[in-house]
Amino acid sequence: NAGVTQTPKFQVLKTGQSMTLQCAQDMNHNSMYWYRQDPGMGLRLIYYSASEGTTDKGEVPNGYNVSRLNKREFSLRLESAAPSQTSVYFCASSGKGLANTGELFFGEGSRLTVL
Amino acid sequence: DAKTTQPPSMDCAEGRAANLPCNHSTISGNEYVYWYRQIHSQGPQYIIHGLKNNETNEMASLIITEDRKSSTLILPHATLRDTAVYYCIVRVLNTGFQKLVFGTGTRLLVSP
């Protein structure tokens, strides 16, 4: 089982460049999330998609855009990268159903450095 | 969501029980206590959750006080692989969308 897959795992950008982080889940989950984690800090929610076709801002949305391409895929785009966006980015998903515990399933993370 | 307070770090000897406390004195009646852990730089991993009864699964036990203002995660026989940051989160349970807010957690170091 792949679970939640993120690409790329590592990326170095120059200030002002753009890039898209890709996330896909194979668990038929309705909800997907993007978090960032800075050194020594907890995770902060950037954007989320409660269900296919909807997206909403989290705690720290500035400088990012998202697209819920379909039920499986949720991408995060940096239009003009800044050094303050150097971080580890985690994608997560959660399901729905009688057995659902409210558990979030996380990907392995994408490590982004902006020079 | 109710705020949680955890010690920043704890140590535990391998093979001993690790007891990780969490204070959530402002918890509401419909809020659950969730525990996640993050090993090194991996994505967080769900451990357990509970409302008011004690819960146990293959990974850990969760003890919630009767007034629900605090809880303890117990790893009964800690191993070196349990070294991680442990997050206590209080949240209303939604059966689908679940917006969790992570604090800085407790860094548990298990030593030989």
PDB file of all heavy atoms in Angstrom, chain B residues 23-59:
ATOM      1  N   ASN B  23      -1.659  18.116  29.512  1.00  0.00           N
ATOM      2  CA  ASN B  23      -2.681  18.871  30.225  1.00  0.00           C
ATOM      3  C   ASN B  23      -3.600  19.545  29.227  1.00  0.00           C
ATOM      4  O   ASN B  23      -3.129  20.186  28.278  1.00  0.00           O
ATOM      5  CB  ASN B  23      -2.010  19.919  31.120  1.00  0.00           C
ATOM      6  CG  ASN B  23      -3.019  20.712  31.931  1.00  0.00           C
ATOM      7  OD1 ASN B  23      -3.696  21.582  31.387  1.00  0.00           O
ATOM      8  ND2 ASN B  23      -3.128  20.394  33.194  1.00  0.00           N
ATOM      9  N   HIS B  24      -4.903  19.387  29.419  1.00  0.00           N
ATOM     10  CA  HIS B  24      -5.901  20.019  28.538  1.00  0.00           C
ATOM     11  C   HIS B  24      -7.068  20.464  29.391  1.00  0.00           C
ATOM     12  O   HIS B  24      -8.206  19.959  29.241  1.00  0.00           O
ATOM     13  CB  HIS B  24      -6.338  19.080  27.401  1.00  0.00           C
ATOM     14  CG  HIS B  24      -6.326  17.623  27.750  1.00  0.00           C
ATOM     15  ND1 HIS B  24      -7.334  17.008  28.477  1.00  0.00           N
ATOM     16  CD2 HIS B  24      -5.413  16.662  27.473  1.00  0.00           C
ATOM     17  CE1 HIS B  24      -7.054  15.739  28.622  1.00  0.00           C
ATOM     18  NE2 HIS B  24      -5.903  15.478  28.037  1.00  0.00           N
ATOM     19  N   SER B  25      -6.810  21.400  30.270  1.00  0.00           N
ATOM     20  CA  SER B  25      -7.777  21.789  31.295  1.00  0.00           C
ATOM     21  C   SER B  25      -9.022  22.470  30.733  1.00  0.00           C
ATOM     22  O   SER B  25     -10.042  22.547  31.418  1.00  0.00           O
ATOM     23  CB  SER B  25      -7.107  22.697  32.329  1.00  0.00           C
ATOM     24  OG  SER B  25      -6.580  23.841  31.699  1.00  0.00           O
ATOM     25  N   THR B  26      -8.965  22.972  29.495  1.00  0.00           N
ATOM     26  CA  THR B  26     -10.125  23.662  28.921  1.00  0.00           C
ATOM     27  C   THR B  26     -10.886  22.779  27.941  1.00  0.00           C
ATOM     28  O   THR B  26     -11.693  23.273  27.149  1.00  0.00           O
ATOM     29  CB  THR B  26      -9.686  24.953  28.216  1.00  0.00           C
ATOM     30  OG1 THR B  26      -8.780  24.616  27.155  1.00  0.00           O
ATOM     31  CG2 THR B  26      -8.998  25.896  29.189  1.00  0.00           C
ATOM     32  N   ILE B  27     -10.682  21.496  28.003  1.00  0.00           N
ATOM     33  CA  ILE B  27     -11.309  20.569  27.053  1.00  0.00           C
ATOM     34  C   ILE B  27     -12.834  20.622  27.178  1.00  0.00           C
ATOM     35  O   ILE B  27     -13.385  20.739  28.289  1.00  0.00           O
ATOM     36  CB  ILE B  27     -10.783  19.143  27.271  1.00  0.00           C
ATOM     37  CG1 ILE B  27     -11.195  18.226  26.119  1.00  0.00           C
ATOM     38  CG2 ILE B  27     -11.217  18.604  28.622  1.00  0.00           C
ATOM     39  CD1 ILE B  27     -10.488  16.870  26.154  1.00  0.00           C
ATOM     40  N   SER B  28     -13.504  20.544  26.039  1.00  0.00           N
ATOM     41  CA  SER B  28     -14.964  20.533  26.028  1.00  0.00           C
ATOM     42  C   SER B  28     -15.477  19.100  26.027  1.00  0.00           C
ATOM     43  O   SER B  28     -14.746  18.165  25.732  1.00  0.00           O
ATOM     44  CB  SER B  28     -15.478  21.257  24.776  1.00  0.00           C
ATOM     45  OG  SER B  28     -15.054  22.585  24.748  1.00  0.00           O
ATOM     46  N   GLY B  29     -16.760  18.963  26.325  1.00  0.00           N
ATOM     47  CA  GLY B  29     -17.328  17.630  26.481  1.00  0.00           C
ATOM     48  C   GLY B  29     -17.287  16.768  25.232  1.00  0.00           C
ATOM     49  O   GLY B  29     -17.253  15.536  25.327  1.00  0.00           O
ATOM     50  N   ASN B  30     -17.270  17.385  24.051  1.00  0.00           N
ATOM     51  CA  ASN B  30     -17.283  16.615  22.815  1.00  0.00           C
ATOM     52  C   ASN B  30     -15.910  16.548  22.151  1.00  0.00           C
ATOM     53  O   ASN B  30     -15.804  16.133  21.000  1.00  0.00           O
ATOM     54  CB  ASN B  30     -18.297  17.202  21.830  1.00  0.00           C
ATOM     55  CG  ASN B  30     -17.951  18.627  21.440  1.00  0.00           C
ATOM     56  OD1 ASN B  30     -17.120  19.271  22.086  1.00  0.00           O
ATOM     57  ND2 ASN B  30     -18.562  19.128  20.396  1.00  0.00           N
ATOM     58  N   GLU B  31     -14.882  16.948  22.847  1.00  0.00           N
ATOM     59  CA  GLU B  31     -13.535  16.911  22.280  1.00  0.00           C
ATOM     60  C   GLU B  31     -12.790  15.650  22.684  1.00  0.00           C
ATOM     61  O   GLU B  31     -12.811  15.246  23.847  1.00  0.00           O
ATOM     62  CB  GLU B  31     -12.737  18.150  22.713  1.00  0.00           C
ATOM     63  CG  GLU B  31     -13.220  19.425  22.036  1.00  0.00           C
ATOM     64  CD  GLU B  31     -12.378  20.620  22.409  1.00  0.00           C
ATOM     65  OE1 GLU B  31     -12.135  20.830  23.619  1.00  0.00           O
ATOM     66  OE2 GLU B  31     -11.968  21.357  21.496  1.00  0.00           O
ATOM     67  N   TYR B  32     -12.142  15.053  21.694  1.00  0.00           N
ATOM     68  CA  TYR B  32     -11.338  13.870  21.909  1.00  0.00           C
ATOM     69  C   TYR B  32      -9.889  14.263  22.149  1.00  0.00           C
ATOM     70  O   TYR B  32      -9.420  15.316  21.700  1.00  0.00           O
ATOM     71  CB  TYR B  32     -11.405  12.951  20.687  1.00  0.00           C
ATOM     72  CG  TYR B  32     -12.684  12.172  20.546  1.00  0.00           C
ATOM     73  CD1 TYR B  32     -13.877  12.810  20.242  1.00  0.00           C
ATOM     74  CD2 TYR B  32     -12.689  10.796  20.702  1.00  0.00           C
ATOM     75  CE1 TYR B  32     -15.053  12.086  20.103  1.00  0.00           C
ATOM     76  CE2 TYR B  32     -13.858  10.059  20.566  1.00  0.00           C
ATOM     77  CZ  TYR B  32     -15.032  10.715  20.268  1.00  0.00           C
ATOM     78  OH  TYR B  32     -16.191  10.005  20.136  1.00  0.00           O
ATOM     79  N   VAL B  33      -9.151  13.360  22.772  1.00  0.00           N
ATOM     80  CA  VAL B  33      -7.710  13.512  22.934  1.00  0.00           C
ATOM     81  C   VAL B  33      -7.032  12.582  21.928  1.00  0.00           C
ATOM     82  O   VAL B  33      -7.291  11.371  21.917  1.00  0.00           O
ATOM     83  CB  VAL B  33      -7.252  13.153  24.356  1.00  0.00           C
ATOM     84  CG1 VAL B  33      -5.734  13.330  24.473  1.00  0.00           C
ATOM     85  CG2 VAL B  33      -7.982  14.017  25.382  1.00  0.00           C
ATOM     86  N   TYR B  34      -6.215  13.172  21.069  1.00  0.00           N
ATOM     87  CA  TYR B  34      -5.464  12.410  20.069  1.00  0.00           C
ATOM     88  C   TYR B  34      -3.975  12.444  20.419  1.00  0.00           C
ATOM     89  O   TYR B  34      -3.463  13.443  20.907  1.00  0.00           O
ATOM     90  CB  TYR B  34      -5.614  13.044  18.679  1.00  0.00           C
ATOM     91  CG  TYR B  34      -6.931  12.802  18.008  1.00  0.00           C
ATOM     92  CD1 TYR B  34      -8.032  13.605  18.281  1.00  0.00           C
ATOM     93  CD2 TYR B  34      -7.068  11.788  17.070  1.00  0.00           C
ATOM     94  CE1 TYR B  34      -9.244  13.388  17.652  1.00  0.00           C
ATOM     95  CE2 TYR B  34      -8.274  11.561  16.434  1.00  0.00           C
ATOM     96  CZ  TYR B  34      -9.358  12.367  16.734  1.00  0.00           C
ATOM     97  OH  TYR B  34     -10.557  12.149  16.112  1.00  0.00           O
ATOM     98  N   TRP B  35      -3.297  11.363  20.098  1.00  0.00           N
ATOM     99  CA  TRP B  35      -1.834  11.331  20.201  1.00  0.00           C
ATOM    100  C   TRP B  35      -1.261  10.898  18.846  1.00  0.00           C
ATOM    101  O   TRP B  35      -1.700   9.908  18.249  1.00  0.00           O
ATOM    102  CB  TRP B  35      -1.376  10.375  21.289  1.00  0.00           C
ATOM    103  CG  TRP B  35      -1.533  10.928  22.668  1.00  0.00           C
ATOM    104  CD1 TRP B  35      -2.653  10.890  23.456  1.00  0.00           C
ATOM    105  CD2 TRP B  35      -0.532  11.600  23.441  1.00  0.00           C
ATOM    106  NE1 TRP B  35      -2.412  11.499  24.657  1.00  0.00           N
ATOM    107  CE2 TRP B  35      -1.119  11.934  24.692  1.00  0.00           C
ATOM    108  CE3 TRP B  35       0.797  11.951  23.215  1.00  0.00           C
ATOM    109  CZ2 TRP B  35      -0.416  12.607  25.689  1.00  0.00           C
ATOM    110  CZ3 TRP B  35       1.496  12.616  24.205  1.00  0.00           C
ATOM    111  CH2 TRP B  35       0.890  12.942  25.438  1.00  0.00           C
ATOM    112  N   TYR B  36      -0.267  11.670  18.423  1.00  0.00           N
ATOM    113  CA  TYR B  36       0.524  11.340  17.234  1.00  0.00           C
ATOM    114  C   TYR B  36       1.992  11.360  17.643  1.00  0.00           C
ATOM    115  O   TYR B  36       2.362  11.970  18.644  1.00  0.00           O
ATOM    116  CB  TYR B  36       0.322  12.386  16.126  1.00  0.00           C
ATOM    117  CG  TYR B  36      -0.933  12.229  15.328  1.00  0.00           C
ATOM    118  CD1 TYR B  36      -2.173  12.555  15.865  1.00  0.00           C
ATOM    119  CD2 TYR B  36      -0.898  11.757  14.017  1.00  0.00           C
ATOM    120  CE1 TYR B  36      -3.333  12.409  15.127  1.00  0.00           C
ATOM    121  CE2 TYR B  36      -2.047  11.613  13.270  1.00  0.00           C
ATOM    122  CZ  TYR B  36      -3.264  11.941  13.832  1.00  0.00           C
ATOM    123  OH  TYR B  36      -4.415  11.799  13.101  1.00  0.00           O
ATOM    124  N   ARG B  37       2.828  10.717  16.857  1.00  0.00           N
ATOM    125  CA  ARG B  37       4.260  10.847  17.069  1.00  0.00           C
ATOM    126  C   ARG B  37       4.956  11.056  15.726  1.00  0.00           C
ATOM    127  O   ARG B  37       4.450  10.665  14.681  1.00  0.00           O
ATOM    128  CB  ARG B  37       4.837   9.635  17.780  1.00  0.00           C
ATOM    129  CG  ARG B  37       4.963   8.370  16.958  1.00  0.00           C
ATOM    130  CD  ARG B  37       5.561   7.274  17.800  1.00  0.00           C
ATOM    131  NE  ARG B  37       5.759   6.038  17.049  1.00  0.00           N
ATOM    132  CZ  ARG B  37       6.215   4.908  17.583  1.00  0.00           C
ATOM    133  NH1 ARG B  37       6.527   4.869  18.870  1.00  0.00           N
ATOM    134  NH2 ARG B  37       6.374   3.832  16.842  1.00  0.00           N
ATOM    135  N   GLN B  38       6.126  11.676  15.810  1.00  0.00           N
ATOM    136  CA  GLN B  38       6.921  11.953  14.624  1.00  0.00           C
ATOM    137  C   GLN B  38       8.338  11.463  14.893  1.00  0.00           C
ATOM    138  O   GLN B  38       9.050  12.013  15.741  1.00  0.00           O
ATOM    139  CB  GLN B  38       6.904  13.441  14.299  1.00  0.00           C
ATOM    140  CG  GLN B  38       7.557  13.782  12.990  1.00  0.00           C
ATOM    141  CD  GLN B  38       7.404  15.249  12.611  1.00  0.00           C
ATOM    142  OE1 GLN B  38       7.189  16.103  13.476  1.00  0.00           O
ATOM    143  NE2 GLN B  38       7.496  15.553  11.331  1.00  0.00           N
ATOM    144  N   ILE B  39       8.711  10.432  14.160  1.00  0.00           N
ATOM    145  CA  ILE B  39      10.042   9.851  14.302  1.00  0.00           C
ATOM    146  C   ILE B  39      10.985  10.562  13.359  1.00  0.00           C
ATOM    147  O   ILE B  39      10.739  10.605  12.151  1.00  0.00           O
ATOM    148  CB  ILE B  39       9.997   8.340  14.002  1.00  0.00           C
ATOM    149  CG1 ILE B  39       9.117   7.635  15.032  1.00  0.00           C
ATOM    150  CG2 ILE B  39      11.402   7.747  13.994  1.00  0.00           C
ATOM    151  CD1 ILE B  39       8.883   6.173  14.754  1.00  0.00           C
ATOM    152  N   HIS B  40      12.049  11.110  13.922  1.00  0.00           N
ATOM    153  CA  HIS B  40      13.042  11.866  13.164  1.00  0.00           C
ATOM    154  C   HIS B  40      12.342  12.872  12.255  1.00  0.00           C
ATOM    155  O   HIS B  40      11.617  13.718  12.743  1.00  0.00           O
ATOM    156  CB  HIS B  40      13.951  10.909  12.395  1.00  0.00           C
ATOM    157  CG  HIS B  40      15.175  11.584  11.851  1.00  0.00           C
ATOM    158  ND1 HIS B  40      15.900  12.497  12.575  1.00  0.00           N
ATOM    159  CD2 HIS B  40      15.766  11.520  10.643  1.00  0.00           C
ATOM    160  CE1 HIS B  40      16.902  12.950  11.838  1.00  0.00           C
ATOM    161  NE2 HIS B  40      16.847  12.367  10.655  1.00  0.00           N
ATOM    162  N   SER B  41      12.496  12.797  10.981  1.00  0.00           N
ATOM    163  CA  SER B  41      11.908  13.787  10.078  1.00  0.00           C
ATOM    164  C   SER B  41      10.791  13.192   9.229  1.00  0.00           C
ATOM    165  O   SER B  41      10.423  13.756   8.211  1.00  0.00           O
ATOM    166  CB  SER B  41      12.995  14.348   9.163  1.00  0.00           C
ATOM    167  OG  SER B  41      13.997  14.968   9.918  1.00  0.00           O
ATOM    168  N   GLN B  42      10.247  12.079   9.693  1.00  0.00           N
ATOM    169  CA  GLN B  42       9.175  11.440   8.943  1.00  0.00           C
ATOM    170  C   GLN B  42       7.848  12.173   9.179  1.00  0.00           C
ATOM    171  O   GLN B  42       7.748  13.031  10.056  1.00  0.00           O
ATOM    172  CB  GLN B  42       9.025   9.987   9.377  1.00  0.00           C
ATOM    173  CG  GLN B  42      10.254   9.138   9.147  1.00  0.00           C
ATOM    174  CD  GLN B  42      10.074   7.736   9.692  1.00  0.00           C
ATOM    175  OE1 GLN B  42       8.961   7.283   9.930  1.00  0.00           O
ATOM    176  NE2 GLN B  42      11.178   7.039   9.895  1.00  0.00           N
ATOM    177  N   GLY B  43       6.833  11.811   8.425  1.00  0.00           N
ATOM    178  CA  GLY B  43       5.506  12.351   8.664  1.00  0.00           C
ATOM    179  C   GLY B  43       4.940  11.820   9.968  1.00  0.00           C
ATOM    180  O   GLY B  43       5.247  10.709  10.388  1.00  0.00           O
ATOM    181  N   PRO B  44       4.129  12.622  10.665  1.00  0.00           N
ATOM    182  CA  PRO B  44       3.532  12.152  11.916  1.00  0.00           C
ATOM    183  C   PRO B  44       2.716  10.891  11.718  1.00  0.00           C
ATOM    184  O   PRO B  44       2.150  10.646  10.656  1.00  0.00           O
ATOM    185  CB  PRO B  44       2.638  13.329  12.329  1.00  0.00           C
ATOM    186  CG  PRO B  44       3.278  14.525  11.709  1.00  0.00           C
ATOM    187  CD  PRO B  44       3.808  14.022  10.389  1.00  0.00           C
ATOM    188  N   GLN B  45       2.659  10.108  12.782  1.00  0.00           N
ATOM    189  CA  GLN B  45       1.961   8.825  12.771  1.00  0.00           C
ATOM    190  C   GLN B  45       0.930   8.814  13.888  1.00  0.00           C
ATOM    191  O   GLN B  45       1.256   9.139  15.049  1.00  0.00           O
ATOM    192  CB  GLN B  45       2.974   7.697  12.980  1.00  0.00           C
ATOM    193  CG  GLN B  45       2.384   6.317  13.112  1.00  0.00           C
ATOM    194  CD  GLN B  45       3.424   5.294  13.549  1.00  0.00           C
ATOM    195  OE1 GLN B  45       4.421   5.628  14.186  1.00  0.00           O
ATOM    196  NE2 GLN B  45       3.205   4.037  13.209  1.00  0.00           N
ATOM    197  N   TYR B  46      -0.289   8.435  13.560  1.00  0.00           N
ATOM    198  CA  TYR B  46      -1.346   8.328  14.565  1.00  0.00           C
ATOM    199  C   TYR B  46      -1.021   7.213  15.551  1.00  0.00           C
ATOM    200  O   TYR B  46      -0.526   6.144  15.166  1.00  0.00           O
ATOM    201  CB  TYR B  46      -2.670   8.038  13.857  1.00  0.00           C
ATOM    202  CG  TYR B  46      -3.791   7.546  14.742  1.00  0.00           C
ATOM    203  CD1 TYR B  46      -4.604   8.441  15.427  1.00  0.00           C
ATOM    204  CD2 TYR B  46      -4.038   6.188  14.877  1.00  0.00           C
ATOM    205  CE1 TYR B  46      -5.638   7.986  16.229  1.00  0.00           C
ATOM    206  CE2 TYR B  46      -5.068   5.728  15.678  1.00  0.00           C
ATOM    207  CZ  TYR B  46      -5.866   6.626  16.344  1.00  0.00           C
ATOM    208  OH  TYR B  46      -6.883   6.172  17.138  1.00  0.00           O
ATOM    209  N   ILE B  47      -1.274   7.465  16.846  1.00  0.00           N
ATOM    210  CA  ILE B  47      -1.055   6.430  17.849  1.00  0.00           C
ATOM    211  C   ILE B  47      -2.384   5.939  18.413  1.00  0.00           C
ATOM    212  O   ILE B  47      -2.709   4.762  18.355  1.00  0.00           O
ATOM    213  CB  ILE B  47      -0.176   6.951  19.012  1.00  0.00           C
ATOM    214  CG1 ILE B  47       1.182   7.426  18.494  1.00  0.00           C
ATOM    215  CG2 ILE B  47       0.002   5.863  20.063  1.00  0.00           C
ATOM    216  CD1 ILE B  47       2.029   8.107  19.553  1.00  0.00           C
ATOM    217  N   ILE B  48      -3.163   6.858  18.965  1.00  0.00           N
ATOM    218  CA  ILE B  48      -4.358   6.468  19.696  1.00  0.00           C
ATOM    219  C   ILE B  48      -5.219   7.701  19.939  1.00  0.00           C
ATOM    220  O   ILE B  48      -4.729   8.837  19.839  1.00  0.00           O
ATOM    221  CB  ILE B  48      -3.955   5.803  21.034  1.00  0.00           C
ATOM    222  CG1 ILE B  48      -5.082   4.969  21.634  1.00  0.00           C
ATOM    223  CG2 ILE B  48      -3.434   6.844  22.022  1.00  0.00           C
ATOM    224  CD1 ILE B  48      -4.610   4.053  22.772  1.00  0.00           C
ATOM    225  N   HIS B  49      -6.490   7.493  20.232  1.00  0.00           N
ATOM    226  CA  HIS B  49      -7.318   8.612  20.649  1.00  0.00           C
ATOM    227  C   HIS B  49      -8.385   8.105  21.609  1.00  0.00           C
ATOM    228  O   HIS B  49      -8.672   6.890  21.670  1.00  0.00           O
ATOM    229  CB  HIS B  49      -7.953   9.339  19.454  1.00  0.00           C
ATOM    230  CG  HIS B  49      -9.130   8.629  18.852  1.00  0.00           C
ATOM    231  ND1 HIS B  49      -8.997   7.477  18.104  1.00  0.00           N
ATOM    232  CD2 HIS B  49     -10.448   8.922  18.874  1.00  0.00           C
ATOM    233  CE1 HIS B  49     -10.184   7.090  17.688  1.00  0.00           C
ATOM    234  NE2 HIS B  49     -11.092   7.939  18.137  1.00  0.00           N
ATOM    235  N   GLY B  50      -8.980   9.017  22.385  1.00  0.00           N
ATOM    236  CA  GLY B  50     -10.010   8.633  23.334  1.00  0.00           C
ATOM    237  C   GLY B  50     -10.856   9.820  23.750  1.00  0.00           C
ATOM    238  O   GLY B  50     -10.453  10.967  23.590  1.00  0.00           O
ATOM    239  N   LEU B  51     -12.025   9.523  24.305  1.00  0.00           N
ATOM    240  CA  LEU B  51     -12.948  10.559  24.760  1.00  0.00           C
ATOM    241  C   LEU B  51     -12.925  10.666  26.281  1.00  0.00           C
ATOM    242  O   LEU B  51     -12.624  11.719  26.824  1.00  0.00           O
ATOM    243  CB  LEU B  51     -14.360  10.266  24.275  1.00  0.00           C
ATOM    244  CG  LEU B  51     -15.423  11.297  24.637  1.00  0.00           C
ATOM    245  CD1 LEU B  51     -15.104  12.646  23.994  1.00  0.00           C
ATOM    246  CD2 LEU B  51     -16.802  10.805  24.211  1.00  0.00           C
ATOM    247  N   LYS B  52     -13.244   9.592  26.965  1.00  0.00           N
ATOM    248  CA  LYS B  52     -13.222   9.644  28.431  1.00  0.00           C
ATOM    249  C   LYS B  52     -12.813   8.315  29.051  1.00  0.00           C
ATOM    250  O   LYS B  52     -12.324   8.290  30.175  1.00  0.00           O
ATOM    251  CB  LYS B  52     -14.574  10.080  28.978  1.00  0.00           C
ATOM    252  CG  LYS B  52     -15.753   9.250  28.504  1.00  0.00           C
ATOM    253  CD  LYS B  52     -17.046   9.834  29.046  1.00  0.00           C
ATOM    254  CE  LYS B  52     -18.253   9.041  28.548  1.00  0.00           C
ATOM    255  NZ  LYS B  52     -19.524   9.600  29.037  1.00  0.00           N
ATOM    256  N   ASN B  53     -12.986   7.232  28.319  1.00  0.00           N
ATOM    257  CA  ASN B  53     -12.545   5.941  28.832  1.00  0.00           C
ATOM    258  C   ASN B  53     -11.098   5.702  28.469  1.00  0.00           C
ATOM    259  O   ASN B  53     -10.592   6.242  27.499  1.00  0.00           O
ATOM    260  CB  ASN B  53     -13.404   4.823  28.248  1.00  0.00           C
ATOM    261  CG  ASN B  53     -14.854   4.963  28.663  1.00  0.00           C
ATOM    262  OD1 ASN B  53     -15.151   5.341  29.789  1.00  0.00           O
ATOM    263  ND2 ASN B  53     -15.745   4.679  27.741  1.00  0.00           N
ATOM    264  N   ASN B  54     -10.433   4.904  29.261  1.00  0.00           N
ATOM    265  CA  ASN B  54      -9.072   4.518  28.922  1.00  0.00           C
ATOM    266  C   ASN B  54      -9.091   3.661  27.670  1.00  0.00           C
ATOM    267  O   ASN B  54     -10.013   2.872  27.444  1.00  0.00           O
ATOM    268  CB  ASN B  54      -8.430   3.769  30.086  1.00  0.00           C
ATOM    269  CG  ASN B  54      -8.337   4.627  31.340  1.00  0.00           C
ATOM    270  OD1 ASN B  54      -8.353   5.852  31.262  1.00  0.00           O
ATOM    271  ND2 ASN B  54      -8.251   3.985  32.479  1.00  0.00           N
ATOM    272  N   GLU B  55      -8.095   3.838  26.847  1.00  0.00           N
ATOM    273  CA  GLU B  55      -8.009   3.117  25.584  1.00  0.00           C
ATOM    274  C   GLU B  55      -6.658   2.421  25.473  1.00  0.00           C
ATOM    275  O   GLU B  55      -5.649   2.925  25.976  1.00  0.00           O
ATOM    276  CB  GLU B  55      -8.175   4.080  24.397  1.00  0.00           C
ATOM    277  CG  GLU B  55      -9.468   4.859  24.372  1.00  0.00           C
ATOM    278  CD  GLU B  55     -10.669   4.007  24.010  1.00  0.00           C
ATOM    279  OE1 GLU B  55     -10.471   2.890  23.510  1.00  0.00           O
ATOM    280  OE2 GLU B  55     -11.814   4.482  24.228  1.00  0.00           O
ATOM    281  N   THR B  56      -6.663   1.286  24.798  1.00  0.00           N
ATOM    282  CA  THR B  56      -5.418   0.548  24.562  1.00  0.00           C
ATOM    283  C   THR B  56      -5.440  -0.017  23.159  1.00  0.00           C
ATOM    284  O   THR B  56      -6.472  -0.505  22.703  1.00  0.00           O
ATOM    285  CB  THR B  56      -5.261  -0.601  25.584  1.00  0.00           C
ATOM    286  OG1 THR B  56      -5.124  -0.046  26.895  1.00  0.00           O
ATOM    287  CG2 THR B  56      -4.007  -1.425  25.281  1.00  0.00           C
ATOM    288  N   ASN B  57      -4.306   0.067  22.498  1.00  0.00           N
ATOM    289  CA  ASN B  57      -4.147  -0.633  21.229  1.00  0.00           C
ATOM    290  C   ASN B  57      -2.760  -1.268  21.203  1.00  0.00           C
ATOM    291  O   ASN B  57      -2.070  -1.312  22.235  1.00  0.00           O
ATOM    292  CB  ASN B  57      -4.414   0.294  20.032  1.00  0.00           C
ATOM    293  CG  ASN B  57      -3.433   1.446  19.950  1.00  0.00           C
ATOM    294  OD1 ASN B  57      -2.342   1.405  20.527  1.00  0.00           O
ATOM    295  ND2 ASN B  57      -3.828   2.475  19.249  1.00  0.00           N
ATOM    296  N   GLU B  58      -2.351  -1.735  20.048  1.00  0.00           N
ATOM    297  CA  GLU B  58      -1.087  -2.461  19.961  1.00  0.00           C
ATOM    298  C   GLU B  58       0.125  -1.560  20.173  1.00  0.00           C
ATOM    299  O   GLU B  58       1.220  -2.030  20.414  1.00  0.00           O
ATOM    300  CB  GLU B  58      -0.982  -3.179  18.620  1.00  0.00           C
ATOM    301  CG  GLU B  58      -0.918  -2.251  17.415  1.00  0.00           C
ATOM    302  CD  GLU B  58      -2.276  -1.765  16.965  1.00  0.00           C
ATOM    303  OE1 GLU B  58      -3.291  -2.068  17.640  1.00  0.00           O
ATOM    304  OE2 GLU B  58      -2.322  -1.051  15.939  1.00  0.00           O
ATOM    305  N   MET B  59      -0.083  -0.263  20.072  1.00  0.00           N
ATOM    306  CA  MET B  59       1.045   0.656  20.217  1.00  0.00           C
ATOM    307  C   MET B  59       1.161   1.214  21.624  1.00  0.00           C
ATOM    308  O   MET B  59       2.279   1.411  22.131  1.00  0.00           O
ATOM    309  CB  MET B  59       0.900   1.826  19.243  1.00  0.00           C
ATOM    310  CG  MET B  59       1.098   1.468  17.787  1.00  0.00           C
ATOM    311  SD  MET B  59       0.963   2.923  16.729  1.00  0.00           S
ATOM    312  CE  MET B  59       2.428   3.822  17.215  1.00  0.00           C
TER     313      MET B  59
END
